[in-house]
Amino acid sequence: MVSRTPDAERPDGDAALDAYIDGWKQLNASMRRGEPWSGGERNAAFLNLGSPATRMVDVAPVVGLDAADDGRSAARIDIDFDGDDDLVVTNRTAPRVRVYANRLADGANSIAVRVAGTRSNREGIGAVVYATPVTSVDEASDDLVVPGMTQRRSRTVGAGYLAQSSAWLRFGLPRAAADGGRRARAPRVHLRVRWPGPDGGTIEDFGVVRANRRYVLTEGAGVARESVASARVELEPGSLELKEPLLADGRRRLVLPAATSIPSVEVLARDGRAARLFGITPAGPRGAGQPTVVIVWNSAEPNAVEAIGDVAALVDEARAGDALLVAIDLGTDGSGLSAAGWTGSLLAATQESARLLPELVGWRLDRTEPPPGPWSFVVEADGRLAVVRTGPWRSGDLAADLKLLAVPAPLRPSVSTPYPGVWAEPPGDADLTRLRARLVRIGVDAPVRELDLARVRTTRPDDPDVQVRLGRAMLQQGDLERALGRFDAAIAADETYVLARRARAYTLHLLGRFDEATVEWTLALDLDPSDLETLGNRALAAVAAGDLERARDDLSTLRKSAEGEVGVVEAVERALREAERDSDR
């Protein structure tokens, strides 16, 4: 991102300046991690209520535009050709694009206009179109603007960050009243244009036209030319097929785009002894050595045990998956859970953790206040939070979560969404800065100190990221054997590190060890089957190794899937043609 330099607007005092610069550093770090610039604010859409005084009202919650996405642009376009403007909204965080089909205007009259300049500029940029509904040609007024009736649209360019709305300007018109029991007639519209130019430009009258049509207004023509409308496109939001049922009854399952370190949670055992679960240390997160399910509930609430859901299934699935079960009671008496068959630990929340836990839920669900309990955390063996759930458990829920923990981290978002494709945020570290701000606000000191420790990172020489960076540097120097050793060390530290697998395969290819390179490209594909570039590289390695059958199979897959990877397909086709030509000689 590009931000204003701190020196350009210097606050008074050294302390204020330090805080100002530190704020920019934290904001930039948050942006690099894929967190939103807007701090989780919801989108707004303002309705102009007009005169006597211009008043703006946020109607986004009413019309369904108040998404919590980190929005960048909203471009207007009649995407389904039904005569009204729809919205295409782009976001920095996923989903990267949302299409909002306008259903509020269904059945209303409208008109679409496009301007074409001659003397001013070819696109008519800066032109203002005035549209006034009339019932007949004789009713057309000489006044440019009829108060309460005339609408204006300006031909502009740019609609936010790297976006452009449609060049067609659309006007919504009132439904005409029926006359004597006859079918209502669509209104007519008087069109005029103020073309851009010196001294405010010139006004051109294009006469009265019929509604529910499209017109091109060419500067100097004086007559509106009708344009044939495209056939209407039916947009059906239900066309996505669910891979699994969506949760209901207040239940929600959030798989984090990357497992998150969390501060330690202080709890009390039945004998009154205090202990801490999980936590952040300078050496990394602290876990229990096996997957852990933490249920946060309140025994003082009515039907508290029933709200947890199918306790028996939860216990059985935890035993089958070698997972720990921990229940933290925000109330005073958790004995009812044991009577329901609970076999895990029963702990009480201290005053500090009773304030910390709701903030953890609200932070991860991106809400100011958490939803009603119970809440559940599925924590990895190393102490990192992987899944957040709200509402009751059902049979099969925990088994699905534990199965997810066995999936390599880069693939978790794609396999956890109920829809095909990837709808999760870009993988990256969670924004602990935002969590810290929440905890500072409520005044819990110990977790804040832990989060401060998390900002002090130590890097071990055997860290796989370090090994990959060193290996790449050696590749640039042409030292292939030493680079290969670095990539081997990275894989030894983390067998699921797909970048190390790809780097090792590439190095083997450069060394002419094509059979080994093919195997390594296959292992990289197992970690990320969607990477078409890796598939193309495996095909090239197979060609070099003489395995033309495998290369043909990979090419067939590429042709079906690689719509945007034309270069990869062409490279494999060219290599295959040369290999087949050589084999025929």
Side-chain angles (χ1 to χ4, degrees):
M1 59 170 281
V2 178
S3 63
R4 182 187 304 174
T5 172
D7 290 332
E9 187 176 337
R10 179 185 295 271
D12 295 332
D14 292 339
L17 178 60
D18 290 342
Y20 178 71
I21 294 176
D22 185 60
W24 275 110
K25 289 179 179 178
Q26 293 186 29
L27 180 58
N28 282 309
S30 175
M31 293 287 285
R32 286 193 296 272
R33 289 194 293 266
E35 297 291 338
W37 164 275
S38 60
E41 291 180 349
R42 290 190 169 274
N43 293 337
F46 292 96
L47 175 66
N48 186 348
L49 299 182
S51 57
T54 300
R55 292 176 295 160
M56 309 294 286
V57 176
D58 182 9
V59 297
V62 179
V63 298
L65 295 174
D66 62 334
D69 308 328
D70 191 11
R72 281 295 173 268
S73 301
R76 295 176 290 102
I77 181 174
D78 184 10
I79 200 168
D80 52 1
F81 301 109
D82 66 348
D84 53 45
D85 272 329
D86 307 298
L87 281 179
V88 179
V89 179
T90 60
N91 306 293
R92 186 177 182 278
T93 49
R96 295 300 174 88
V97 178
R98 285 186 188 269
V99 177
Y100 292 90
N102 186 352
R103 293 291 175 258
L104 298 176
D106 286 355
N109 295 306
S110 64
I111 189 171
V113 171
R114 181 159 185 171
V115 294
T118 54
R119 293 185 294 269
S120 55
N121 61 80
R122 185 174 63 182
E123 292 294 327
I125 296 168
V128 182
V129 180
Y130 297 81
T132 306
V134 297
T135 58
S136 66
V137 175
D138 297 334
E139 190 185 316
S141 171
D142 292 334
D143 297 328
L144 180 63
V145 175
V146 178
M149 296 183 64
T150 303
Q151 300 178 55
R152 294 186 301 179
R153 297 284 186 273
S154 298
R155 173 67 170 102
T156 60
V157 290
Y161 179 69
L162 297 179
Q164 169 63 53
S165 290
S166 170
W168 287 93
L169 309 176
R170 291 177 181 80
F171 300 85
L173 304 170
R175 295 175 174 85
D179 182 12
R182 292 179 298 176
R183 182 179 177 183
R185 292 189 305 169
R188 295 173 180 263
V189 184
H190 187 193
L191 293 176
R192 278 172 285 197
V193 178
R194 182 189 295 277
W195 296 102
D199 302 325
T202 60
I203 297 176
E204 185 173 3
D205 193 325
F206 284 86
V208 176
V209 299
R210 294 181 179 180
N212 300 320
R213 303 191 180 190
R214 292 156 45 110
Y215 297 93
V216 176
L217 310 181
T218 302
E219 185 177 11
V223 177
R225 175 171 57 86
E226 186 172 348
S227 174
V228 178
S230 301
R232 182 168 177 172
V233 176
E234 293 295 333
L235 298 179
E236 294 295 337
S239 60
L240 288 173
E241 296 182 1
L242 290 172
K243 293 192 300 184
E244 58 185 53
L246 290 172
L247 304 183
D249 303 328
R251 295 180 350 112
R252 178 174 180 178
R253 180 201 192 209
L254 173 65
V255 176
L256 304 186
T260 303
S261 299
I262 55 175
S264 57
V265 179
E266 188 177 22
V267 292
L268 296 173
R270 290 201 167 196
D271 58 7
R273 289 185 300 174
R276 288 189 174 272
L277 305 176
F278 316 118
I280 302 173
T281 72
R286 179 174 59 240
Q290 61 189 112
T292 304
V293 180
V294 178
I295 295 177
V296 182
W297 67 304
N298 191 337
S299 59
E301 294 180 350
N303 304 316
V305 175
E306 291 81 355
I308 293 175
D310 194 337
V311 173
L314 189 61
V315 169
D316 288 344
E317 290 166 20
R319 184 183 300 112
D322 192 27
L324 291 176
L325 289 177
V326 175
I328 300 178
D329 186 11
L330 300 179
T332 57
D333 181 14
S335 58
L337 193 54
S338 296
W342 182 261
T343 59
S345 301
L346 289 170
L347 305 170
T350 63
Q351 289 185 351
E352 181 184 76
S353 60
R355 299 165 70 191
L356 167 65
L357 290 166
E359 294 298 327
L360 287 177
V361 178
W363 166 61
R364 288 319 300 165
L365 296 185
D366 203 14
R367 295 176 54 154
T368 304
E369 299 293 336
W375 314 311
S376 301
F377 304 118
V378 180
V379 183
E380 302 224 39
D382 64 1
R384 292 177 301 153
L385 178 61
V387 180
V388 177
R389 284 184 177 268
T390 64
W393 287 83
R394 297 286 183 260
S395 177
D397 284 352
L398 181 55
D401 289 345
L402 295 179
K403 182 179 179 181
L404 180 75
L405 297 187
V407 175
L411 301 184
R412 289 186 191 175
S414 61
V415 301
S416 61
T417 174
Y419 297 101
V422 179
W423 281 45
E425 294 179 355
D429 294 336
D431 185 5
L432 296 177
T433 303
R434 288 175 62 192
L435 175 61
R436 184 183 186 279
R438 296 179 72 121
L439 300 184
V440 168
R441 187 177 64 249
I442 65 173
V444 289
D445 297 329
V448 170
R449 288 194 296 270
E450 283 193 50
L451 291 174
D452 289 337
L453 277 177
R455 298 171 65 183
V456 181
R457 298 193 173 189
T458 57
T459 303
R460 304 186 316 273
D462 61 345
D463 184 275
D465 286 327
V466 174
Q467 294 295 332
V468 168
R469 287 197 295 269
L470 290 172
R472 286 175 172 172
M474 292 171 184
L475 273 180
Q476 292 176 350
Q477 297 169 2
D479 195 341
L480 302 185
E481 289 293 350
R482 290 184 64 199
L484 186 63
R486 294 297 184 180
F487 300 139
D488 287 342
I491 293 171
D494 183 359
E495 294 182 354
T496 65
Y497 195 6
V498 67
L499 292 180
R501 290 285 183 191
R502 292 170 185 159
R504 187 175 192 274
Y506 177 70
T507 308
L508 289 169
H509 197 121
L510 293 179
L511 287 168
R513 294 157 62 175
F514 302 118
D515 288 328
E516 295 175 72
T518 303
V519 172
E520 199 64 50
W521 286 123
T522 301
L523 292 173
L525 277 172
D526 290 342
L527 294 172
D528 186 2
S530 65
D531 186 11
L532 299 180
E533 187 173 339
T534 296
L535 181 61
N537 282 327
R538 185 177 72 173
L540 293 174
V543 170
D547 190 352
L548 302 189
E549 191 62 35
R550 176 191 284 274
R552 294 187 187 100
D553 290 342
D554 287 348
L555 177 60
S556 176
T557 303
L558 282 168
R559 284 169 173 165
K560 295 175 183 177
S561 307
E563 295 181 359
E565 299 289 346
V566 178
V568 175
V569 174
E570 291 178 348
V572 175
E573 289 175 339
R574 185 166 55 252
L576 263 174
R577 284 196 302 269
E578 292 175 357
E580 289 167 347
R581 185 168 55 249
D582 292 343
S583 64
D584 292 338
R585 290 176 181 173

